[in-house]
Short mmCIF file of all heavy atoms in Angstrom, two decimals:
data_model
loop_
_atom_site.label_atom_id
_atom_site.label_comp_id
_atom_site.label_asym_id
_atom_site.label_seq_id
_atom_site.Cartn_x
_atom_site.Cartn_y
_atom_site.Cartn_z
N VAL A 261 26.52 20.44 -94.01
CA VAL A 261 25.30 21.24 -94.34
C VAL A 261 24.12 20.35 -94.70
O VAL A 261 23.03 20.59 -94.16
CB VAL A 261 25.67 22.31 -95.54
CG1 VAL A 261 24.37 22.93 -96.10
CG2 VAL A 261 26.60 23.38 -95.10
N GLU A 262 24.36 19.35 -95.62
CA GLU A 262 23.28 18.43 -95.93
C GLU A 262 22.87 17.65 -94.76
O GLU A 262 21.74 17.36 -94.66
CB GLU A 262 23.79 17.47 -97.03
CG GLU A 262 24.07 18.14 -98.37
CD GLU A 262 24.43 17.09 -99.41
OE1 GLU A 262 23.58 16.09 -99.59
OE2 GLU A 262 25.50 17.26 -100.11
N TRP A 263 23.77 17.22 -93.86
CA TRP A 263 23.26 16.47 -92.74
C TRP A 263 22.44 17.34 -91.75
O TRP A 263 21.51 16.86 -91.19
CB TRP A 263 24.52 15.94 -91.97
CG TRP A 263 24.19 14.95 -90.84
CD1 TRP A 263 23.93 13.78 -90.91
CD2 TRP A 263 23.97 15.38 -89.45
NE1 TRP A 263 23.56 13.19 -89.73
CE2 TRP A 263 23.61 14.20 -88.74
CE3 TRP A 263 24.12 16.56 -88.74
CZ2 TRP A 263 23.33 14.14 -87.48
CZ3 TRP A 263 23.79 16.52 -87.37
CH2 TRP A 263 23.49 15.31 -86.75
N VAL A 264 22.92 18.58 -91.57
CA VAL A 264 22.08 19.55 -90.76
C VAL A 264 20.65 19.69 -91.27
O VAL A 264 19.73 19.75 -90.57
CB VAL A 264 22.74 20.97 -90.50
CG1 VAL A 264 21.82 21.82 -89.92
CG2 VAL A 264 24.07 20.63 -89.69
N ASP A 265 20.53 19.76 -92.63
CA ASP A 265 19.27 19.79 -93.25
C ASP A 265 18.40 18.64 -92.89
O ASP A 265 17.11 18.74 -92.55
CB ASP A 265 19.45 19.92 -94.77
CG ASP A 265 18.13 20.49 -95.47
OD1 ASP A 265 17.61 21.56 -94.96
OD2 ASP A 265 17.64 19.82 -96.34
N LEU A 266 19.02 17.47 -92.95
CA LEU A 266 18.28 16.24 -92.52
C LEU A 266 17.88 16.28 -91.03
O LEU A 266 16.88 15.80 -90.57
CB LEU A 266 19.08 15.01 -92.79
CG LEU A 266 19.43 14.54 -94.22
CD1 LEU A 266 20.36 13.42 -94.22
CD2 LEU A 266 18.08 14.25 -94.88
N PHE A 267 18.80 16.75 -90.27
CA PHE A 267 18.57 16.83 -88.84
C PHE A 267 17.38 17.85 -88.46
O PHE A 267 16.65 17.58 -87.65
CB PHE A 267 19.81 17.42 -88.13
CG PHE A 267 19.79 17.56 -86.69
CD1 PHE A 267 19.41 16.45 -85.94
CD2 PHE A 267 20.17 18.72 -86.01
CE1 PHE A 267 19.41 16.63 -84.49
CE2 PHE A 267 20.15 18.84 -84.66
CZ PHE A 267 19.75 17.71 -83.87
N VAL A 268 17.28 18.86 -89.38
CA VAL A 268 16.16 19.80 -89.19
C VAL A 268 14.79 19.06 -89.43
O VAL A 268 13.86 19.26 -88.69
CB VAL A 268 16.30 21.10 -90.08
CG1 VAL A 268 14.97 21.92 -90.09
CG2 VAL A 268 17.39 22.02 -89.60
N ASP A 269 14.81 18.33 -90.43
CA ASP A 269 13.72 17.47 -90.82
C ASP A 269 13.26 16.55 -89.56
O ASP A 269 12.16 16.52 -89.24
CB ASP A 269 13.87 16.62 -91.94
CG ASP A 269 13.95 17.26 -93.38
OD1 ASP A 269 13.32 18.48 -93.37
OD2 ASP A 269 14.44 16.78 -94.28
N PHE A 270 14.28 15.99 -88.99
CA PHE A 270 14.04 15.18 -87.90
C PHE A 270 13.45 16.03 -86.60
O PHE A 270 12.53 15.59 -85.97
CB PHE A 270 15.28 14.53 -87.44
CG PHE A 270 15.18 14.01 -86.05
CD1 PHE A 270 14.55 12.75 -85.79
CD2 PHE A 270 15.90 14.61 -84.96
CE1 PHE A 270 14.55 12.29 -84.38
CE2 PHE A 270 15.83 14.00 -83.67
CZ PHE A 270 15.20 12.84 -83.44
N LEU A 271 14.02 17.25 -86.45
CA LEU A 271 13.56 18.11 -85.33
C LEU A 271 12.14 18.52 -85.56
O LEU A 271 11.41 18.58 -84.52
CB LEU A 271 14.47 19.25 -85.16
CG LEU A 271 15.89 18.93 -84.70
CD1 LEU A 271 16.72 20.18 -84.73
CD2 LEU A 271 15.85 18.38 -83.26
N VAL A 272 11.71 18.74 -86.74
CA VAL A 272 10.37 19.22 -87.03
C VAL A 272 9.39 17.98 -86.68
O VAL A 272 8.37 18.21 -86.15
CB VAL A 272 10.21 19.60 -88.59
CG1 VAL A 272 8.76 19.82 -88.83
CG2 VAL A 272 11.06 20.80 -88.81
N THR A 273 9.78 16.80 -87.00
CA THR A 273 8.97 15.60 -86.69
C THR A 273 8.85 15.43 -85.17
O THR A 273 7.92 14.99 -84.75
CB THR A 273 9.56 14.35 -87.36
OG1 THR A 273 9.72 14.64 -88.77
CG2 THR A 273 8.66 13.28 -87.08
N LYS A 274 9.93 15.76 -84.50
CA LYS A 274 10.10 15.41 -83.09
C LYS A 274 9.26 16.21 -82.34
O LYS A 274 8.92 15.98 -81.08
CB LYS A 274 11.54 15.63 -82.71
CG LYS A 274 12.06 15.46 -81.33
CD LYS A 274 13.41 15.55 -81.11
CE LYS A 274 13.84 15.50 -79.67
NZ LYS A 274 13.52 16.66 -78.87
N HIS A 275 8.81 17.39 -82.74
CA HIS A 275 8.11 18.37 -82.00
C HIS A 275 6.82 17.81 -81.32
O HIS A 275 6.52 18.22 -80.13
CB HIS A 275 7.67 19.57 -82.77
CG HIS A 275 8.84 20.59 -82.95
ND1 HIS A 275 8.80 21.55 -83.96
CD2 HIS A 275 9.86 20.82 -82.26
CE1 HIS A 275 9.81 22.15 -83.90
NE2 HIS A 275 10.61 21.78 -82.91
N GLY A 276 6.13 16.93 -81.94
CA GLY A 276 4.82 16.36 -81.26
C GLY A 276 5.18 15.22 -80.32
O GLY A 276 4.14 14.63 -79.85
N LEU A 277 6.45 14.77 -80.24
CA LEU A 277 6.64 13.68 -79.43
C LEU A 277 6.23 13.74 -78.01
O LEU A 277 5.71 12.91 -77.41
CB LEU A 277 8.07 13.18 -79.57
CG LEU A 277 8.52 11.96 -78.77
CD1 LEU A 277 7.84 10.78 -79.58
CD2 LEU A 277 10.09 11.79 -78.76
N ALA A 278 6.54 14.97 -77.43
CA ALA A 278 6.34 15.24 -75.95
C ALA A 278 4.81 15.02 -75.64
O ALA A 278 4.40 14.31 -74.78
CB ALA A 278 6.79 16.43 -75.47
N SER A 279 3.95 15.60 -76.56
CA SER A 279 2.49 15.52 -76.30
C SER A 279 1.96 14.13 -76.63
O SER A 279 1.03 13.65 -75.94
CB SER A 279 1.76 16.57 -77.20
OG SER A 279 2.06 16.36 -78.60
N ALA A 280 2.52 13.46 -77.56
CA ALA A 280 2.16 12.05 -77.86
C ALA A 280 2.55 11.14 -76.75
O ALA A 280 1.91 10.05 -76.62
CB ALA A 280 2.83 11.66 -79.23
N MET A 281 3.47 11.44 -75.91
CA MET A 281 3.97 10.63 -74.88
C MET A 281 3.86 11.22 -73.53
O MET A 281 4.54 10.94 -72.50
CB MET A 281 5.48 10.24 -75.12
CG MET A 281 5.62 9.46 -76.27
SD MET A 281 7.46 8.90 -76.42
CE MET A 281 7.41 7.78 -75.07
N GLN A 282 2.83 12.12 -73.37
CA GLN A 282 2.73 12.94 -72.18
C GLN A 282 2.51 12.07 -70.95
O GLN A 282 2.90 12.53 -69.78
CB GLN A 282 1.59 13.93 -72.28
CG GLN A 282 0.27 13.27 -72.52
CD GLN A 282 -0.84 14.45 -72.90
OE1 GLN A 282 -0.69 15.53 -72.59
NE2 GLN A 282 -1.96 13.92 -73.44
N ASN A 283 2.03 10.93 -71.15
CA ASN A 283 1.78 10.03 -69.95
C ASN A 283 2.90 9.06 -69.78
O ASN A 283 2.90 8.06 -68.91
CB ASN A 283 0.56 9.14 -70.17
CG ASN A 283 -0.67 9.97 -70.19
OD1 ASN A 283 -0.74 11.08 -69.40
ND2 ASN A 283 -1.61 9.69 -70.97
N ASP A 284 4.06 9.19 -70.45
CA ASP A 284 5.17 8.30 -70.33
C ASP A 284 6.48 9.20 -70.34
O ASP A 284 7.30 9.02 -71.31
CB ASP A 284 5.19 7.28 -71.45
CG ASP A 284 6.33 6.13 -71.19
OD1 ASP A 284 6.95 6.19 -70.17
OD2 ASP A 284 6.51 5.53 -72.20
N GLY A 285 6.74 10.03 -69.36
CA GLY A 285 7.96 10.92 -69.19
C GLY A 285 9.19 10.06 -69.35
O GLY A 285 10.10 10.52 -69.93
N ARG A 286 9.18 8.93 -68.61
CA ARG A 286 10.46 8.24 -68.60
C ARG A 286 10.79 7.56 -70.03
O ARG A 286 11.99 7.62 -70.37
CB ARG A 286 10.39 7.01 -67.59
CG ARG A 286 10.52 7.46 -66.17
CD ARG A 286 10.30 6.34 -65.19
NE ARG A 286 9.09 5.64 -65.30
CZ ARG A 286 8.65 4.68 -64.64
NH1 ARG A 286 9.52 3.99 -63.89
NH2 ARG A 286 7.46 3.99 -64.91
N GLY A 287 9.71 7.21 -70.74
CA GLY A 287 9.85 6.76 -72.08
C GLY A 287 10.49 7.82 -72.99
O GLY A 287 11.36 7.55 -73.84
N TYR A 288 10.01 9.09 -72.78
CA TYR A 288 10.49 10.18 -73.61
C TYR A 288 11.88 10.48 -73.27
O TYR A 288 12.66 10.72 -74.15
CB TYR A 288 9.58 11.44 -73.33
CG TYR A 288 10.09 12.56 -74.02
CD1 TYR A 288 9.96 12.75 -75.39
CD2 TYR A 288 10.82 13.70 -73.33
CE1 TYR A 288 10.42 13.88 -76.07
CE2 TYR A 288 11.15 14.80 -73.99
CZ TYR A 288 11.03 14.83 -75.39
OH TYR A 288 11.48 15.98 -76.03
N GLU A 289 12.21 10.44 -71.99
CA GLU A 289 13.62 10.80 -71.54
C GLU A 289 14.58 9.68 -72.17
O GLU A 289 15.69 9.99 -72.61
CB GLU A 289 13.76 10.73 -70.04
CG GLU A 289 13.03 11.99 -69.47
CD GLU A 289 13.03 11.88 -67.93
OE1 GLU A 289 13.58 10.91 -67.35
OE2 GLU A 289 12.41 12.75 -67.32
N GLY A 290 14.11 8.46 -72.21
CA GLY A 290 14.98 7.29 -72.80
C GLY A 290 15.15 7.57 -74.31
O GLY A 290 16.24 7.37 -74.66
N LEU A 291 14.19 7.99 -74.97
CA LEU A 291 14.36 8.23 -76.45
C LEU A 291 15.18 9.47 -76.60
O LEU A 291 16.01 9.54 -77.64
CB LEU A 291 12.86 8.53 -77.09
CG LEU A 291 12.10 7.27 -77.32
CD1 LEU A 291 10.73 7.83 -77.87
CD2 LEU A 291 12.83 6.46 -78.38
N HIS A 292 15.17 10.52 -75.80
CA HIS A 292 16.07 11.70 -75.90
C HIS A 292 17.48 11.21 -75.81
O HIS A 292 18.33 11.64 -76.51
CB HIS A 292 15.61 12.70 -74.93
CG HIS A 292 16.48 13.96 -75.05
ND1 HIS A 292 16.35 14.83 -76.13
CD2 HIS A 292 17.38 14.45 -74.25
CE1 HIS A 292 17.05 15.81 -76.00
NE2 HIS A 292 17.84 15.64 -74.84
N ALA A 293 17.67 10.41 -74.71
CA ALA A 293 19.15 9.95 -74.56
C ALA A 293 19.61 9.12 -75.69
O ALA A 293 20.78 9.26 -76.15
CB ALA A 293 19.19 9.11 -73.15
N TYR A 294 18.73 8.30 -76.13
CA TYR A 294 18.98 7.51 -77.43
C TYR A 294 19.47 8.40 -78.62
O TYR A 294 20.32 8.14 -79.32
CB TYR A 294 17.87 6.53 -77.78
CG TYR A 294 17.77 6.11 -79.16
CD1 TYR A 294 18.61 4.99 -79.63
CD2 TYR A 294 16.84 6.49 -80.00
CE1 TYR A 294 18.48 4.57 -80.80
CE2 TYR A 294 16.71 6.04 -81.27
CZ TYR A 294 17.56 5.06 -81.72
OH TYR A 294 17.48 4.50 -82.90
N PHE A 295 18.59 9.41 -78.72
CA PHE A 295 18.81 10.40 -79.85
C PHE A 295 20.25 11.06 -79.65
O PHE A 295 21.08 11.14 -80.65
CB PHE A 295 17.71 11.37 -79.78
CG PHE A 295 18.02 12.78 -80.22
CD1 PHE A 295 18.53 13.14 -81.46
CD2 PHE A 295 17.71 13.89 -79.28
CE1 PHE A 295 18.79 14.46 -81.81
CE2 PHE A 295 18.09 15.16 -79.54
CZ PHE A 295 18.55 15.43 -80.87
N ILE A 296 20.58 11.52 -78.58
CA ILE A 296 21.94 12.10 -78.28
C ILE A 296 22.98 11.12 -78.51
O ILE A 296 24.02 11.38 -79.21
CB ILE A 296 21.94 12.77 -76.90
CG1 ILE A 296 20.92 13.90 -76.75
CG2 ILE A 296 23.33 13.27 -76.54
CD1 ILE A 296 21.20 15.14 -77.58
N ASP A 297 22.82 10.01 -77.87
CA ASP A 297 23.94 8.94 -77.97
C ASP A 297 24.22 8.56 -79.35
O ASP A 297 25.42 8.34 -79.82
CB ASP A 297 23.69 7.82 -77.16
CG ASP A 297 23.65 8.02 -75.65
OD1 ASP A 297 24.22 9.08 -75.25
OD2 ASP A 297 23.05 7.25 -74.84
N ARG A 298 23.17 8.50 -80.22
CA ARG A 298 23.28 7.91 -81.57
C ARG A 298 23.71 9.10 -82.53
O ARG A 298 24.63 8.77 -83.44
CB ARG A 298 21.94 7.47 -82.09
CG ARG A 298 21.96 6.73 -83.38
CD ARG A 298 22.59 5.39 -83.20
NE ARG A 298 22.48 4.53 -84.34
CZ ARG A 298 23.48 4.54 -85.22
NH1 ARG A 298 24.65 5.15 -85.04
NH2 ARG A 298 23.36 3.75 -86.33
#
Side-chain angles (χ1 to χ4, degrees):
V261 170
E262 289 187 54
W263 187 84
V264 168
D265 197 52
L266 292 175
F267 185 52
V268 169
D269 285 340
F270 164 74
L271 290 173
V272 172
T273 304
K274 177 178 176 285
H275 280 161
L277 185 66
S279 59
M281 296 188 66
Q282 58 187 347
N283 296 322
D284 186 10
R286 285 178 300 176
Y288 175 74
E289 289 172 6
L291 280 176
H292 182 71
Y294 159 73
F295 143 64
I296 295 295
D297 290 345
R298 193 74 178 93

